[in-house]
Amino acid sequence: MTAAPPAERVERRPADGGADAPVANRSLTPGVRALVRRRRAWIVIALALVLGGLVLALIQGLVRPPGVALGADNPAPGGAQALVRVLSAQGVEVRSVRTLAEAERAAARGATVFLYDEAGLLDRERVAGLAAAADLLVVARPDFAALEVLAPGVRLAGAAGGPIDRAACELPAARSAGSLSEGQALLTVDDDAAASGFAGCFAEGDAFAVVSGPSPDGAEVALVASEAVFANETIDEAGNAALAIGLLGARDELAWYLPGPADVDASGAPTLAELTPGWVSPVAVLLGLAVVAAGVWRGRRFGPLVVEDLPVHVPAAETGEGRARLYARSSARLRALDQLRMGAIRRLTELLRLPRSAHVDAVVAGIADATGRPAPSVRAVLVDALPAGDRELVGLARDLDDLERAVRDALRPSPTEPDPTGRRP
C-alpha cells in the first residue's frame, strides 16, 4: 500500500510575538551563483584557454619582431627603413620588389640588387638567374644554396665574438666603414674561392664578416654575413651605416628584393606519396578492409521494442514532483506552464461536455458562456499569457485553478432548482 503524497511543506520562522508564521518555499530556479557554481569547471577551462592564448600572443609578440625583417618600409628594430631613407636622401631611387621577375627587370636596367632571403625561398636555379641578370648583387646573410651558386668555396663560419675594428681589405665601402659592431656573422674563403677573385673584409681569425668577388655568372657579388649591418637597431653602431651605404649607394637605382611566396617553385615540392614509405598505402587499405569486415561481423541490428512492466511502482505524485523540480532547475517555466494548461484544458473539456477533439477556441467560448468572463481574458489564462519569472508562473497557475473552480461552480446545479429526474430530496 502506497502512502498518500505528502502535503506541501511550509517553512516556519518566529514572528514578532514569538508565534510561528508560515513562509513560502524557496524558489528552485537556479540563480546566477548556482549557475556559476555548477559550471565552474567549464568556466575555469575557458579562462585557462583565454589566458594561455594571451600569454602565447604576448610571447610571440616579444620574440617575433613586428613587420618584415629588413623591410624597406619597416620602422621596427628589425626593419631597414632608416637605411632606405638615407639612401633616398642621397639621390638613390630605392624600389621595393617582391618577385624574382621584378628584380631581374630592375637588374637588367643596371640597378644594384639587394637580396635578403630570410626563409630560403629561392632555389639554386633562381639565384643563378638573378646573378646572371645583375651586374652588382649585395646579399645579406646568404644561405648554403646562395653560397654554392654565387661564391663556390665560401662557407658559413659561425659568429664573431665582438666588434671588428679593422677592415683589412681593399673594398672601398669596407675601408670607409673602418669597423663593424657586435652581432656579426662570419664566412670563410678557401683557396679555390680566393683564386677565383673572392676576398674577405673585417677578419676575425681566418673568417670574414664581408666577402666580395665575381660570381661564376659574371656579377660582382658582396656577401654580408649578418643582417645587423642593415637593421634599424644597429645601423648607427660603429661603421655599419658607412658599409651599407657604400655597398648599396654605388648606383642611382637600387632594387630592394625580399623574396615572397610567389617565388617558391611549387612543382619542385615533394608530394605526399613521395614523402611516405611504399608500405603505407597497402597497409592503410588493409586496415580499412579490416574495419569494414569487423563491422559486418560484429554488427547487430536492433529488434522490435519489447514492452515490459516496471519492477517497481512509482506513484504519479512523485513522478510529477520530480518533473516539476527538473523544470525548476532548468528554468523551463514555459514548459511547466504548458503542462498545467494541458491538464486544465482536458478537465475543462470534460466539465463542458465537449469532445476531446474540440479546439481550444471552442473551450474558451464554452468557459466564457458558463462563467460570464470575457473570452480574451479566458484565452490569456489558457493560451496567450507568458511568464517572465517565477512569480508570474505561480500567478498563472493560480489563475488556472480559479478558472477551473469557477467553471465547476457555474455548472453545479442550484439547490433550489428541481431535480430533472423527479426525485424528492
Side-chain angles (χ1 to χ4, degrees):
M1 181 176 180
T2 59
E8 182 182 3
R9 289 176 295 179
V10 178
E11 298 179 0
R12 295 183 177 273
R13 62 186 178 190
D16 294 339
D20 292 341
V23 180
N25 284 338
R26 187 179 303 172
S27 173
L28 295 177
T29 302
V32 177
R33 291 185 178 178
L35 292 176
V36 172
R37 186 167 54 253
R38 188 181 304 170
R39 295 174 174 85
R40 59 179 177 269
W42 293 107
I43 294 174
V44 171
I45 293 174
L47 291 177
L49 292 176
V50 172
L51 183 60
L54 293 176
V55 171
L56 181 60
L58 180 61
I59 293 176
Q60 288 183 344
L62 294 177
V63 174
R64 183 182 302 172
V68 180
L70 290 191
D73 57 349
N74 184 8
Q81 188 184 69
L83 174 59
V84 172
R85 288 188 175 182
V86 172
L87 291 172
S88 300
Q90 293 184 356
V92 180
E93 184 181 0
V94 182
R95 295 179 179 272
S96 180
V97 297
R98 296 291 291 176
T99 62
L100 179 61
E102 294 181 45
E104 290 177 345
R105 286 195 295 267
R109 295 193 301 266
T112 302
V113 178
F114 172 75
L115 172 63
Y116 177 59
D117 190 6
E118 180 186 15
L121 300 178
L122 297 182
D123 56 14
R124 291 172 175 79
E125 295 181 359
R126 293 173 182 265
V127 174
L130 179 61
D135 294 332
L136 179 57
L137 181 62
V138 179
V139 184
R141 205 185 69 181
D143 57 6
F144 290 102
L147 291 177
E148 289 181 0
V149 174
L150 300 176
V154 178
R155 297 178 178 83
L156 300 174
I164 303 177
D165 299 330
R166 192 166 55 91
C169 69
E170 299 299 325
L171 185 65
R175 297 184 63 180
S176 63
S179 63
L180 294 181
S181 66
E182 295 182 354
Q184 303 299 321
L186 299 175
L187 301 168
T188 58
V189 181
D190 63 9
D191 295 338
D192 293 336
S196 64
F198 280 94
C201 301
F202 301 103
E204 183 175 288
D206 296 333
F208 307 92
V210 179
V211 174
S212 62
S215 71
D217 295 305
E220 186 66 25
V221 178
L223 304 174
V224 183
S226 174
E227 64 269 39
V229 174
F230 310 98
N232 292 331
E233 60 182 345
T234 53
I235 188 67
D236 59 343
E237 298 179 3
N240 293 351
L243 177 63
I245 294 172
L247 292 175
L248 301 178
R251 301 189 179 186
D252 295 336
E253 184 178 353
L254 172 63
W256 196 278
Y257 178 38
L258 305 180
D263 296 325
V264 179
D265 187 8
S267 61
T271 62
L272 182 61
E274 294 174 350
L275 294 175
T276 55
W279 54 266
V280 173
S281 298
V283 169
V285 173
L286 288 177
L287 288 176
L289 294 177
V291 170
V292 173
V296 174
W297 171 46
R298 299 297 297 175
R300 289 190 177 93
R301 297 179 57 187
F302 291 108
L305 296 178
V306 178
V307 179
E308 295 186 40
D309 295 333
L310 292 176
V312 295
H313 175 69
V314 180
E318 294 184 10
T319 304
E321 184 178 356
R323 180 175 296 182
R325 292 183 181 276
L326 290 176
Y327 288 159
R329 289 174 184 173
S330 60
S331 300
R333 303 183 187 90
L334 186 58
R335 184 178 294 273
L337 181 60
D338 288 340
Q339 298 296 324
L340 295 175
R341 282 172 168 171
M342 286 188 292
I345 291 174
R346 182 177 63 252
R347 292 189 296 272
L348 290 171
T349 302
E350 295 176 356
L351 289 175
L352 296 172
R353 308 297 179 118
L354 296 175
R356 291 186 176 181
S357 60
H359 195 268
V360 66
D361 292 337
V363 178
V364 170
I367 296 173
D369 293 340
T371 61
R373 296 187 179 186
S377 63
V378 176
R379 182 178 177 83
V381 175
L382 292 179
V383 180
D384 296 335
L386 299 177
D390 292 342
R391 186 184 300 274
E392 289 80 1
L393 176 62
V394 173
L396 287 173
R398 188 180 297 110
D399 294 341
L400 287 172
D401 190 27
D402 295 342
L403 184 63
E404 189 173 351
R405 186 180 297 107
V407 173
R408 290 182 182 276
D409 294 340
L411 297 179
R412 183 180 295 117
S414 176
T416 59
E417 294 180 358
D419 190 349
T421 60
R423 299 177 181 177
R424 294 182 179 179

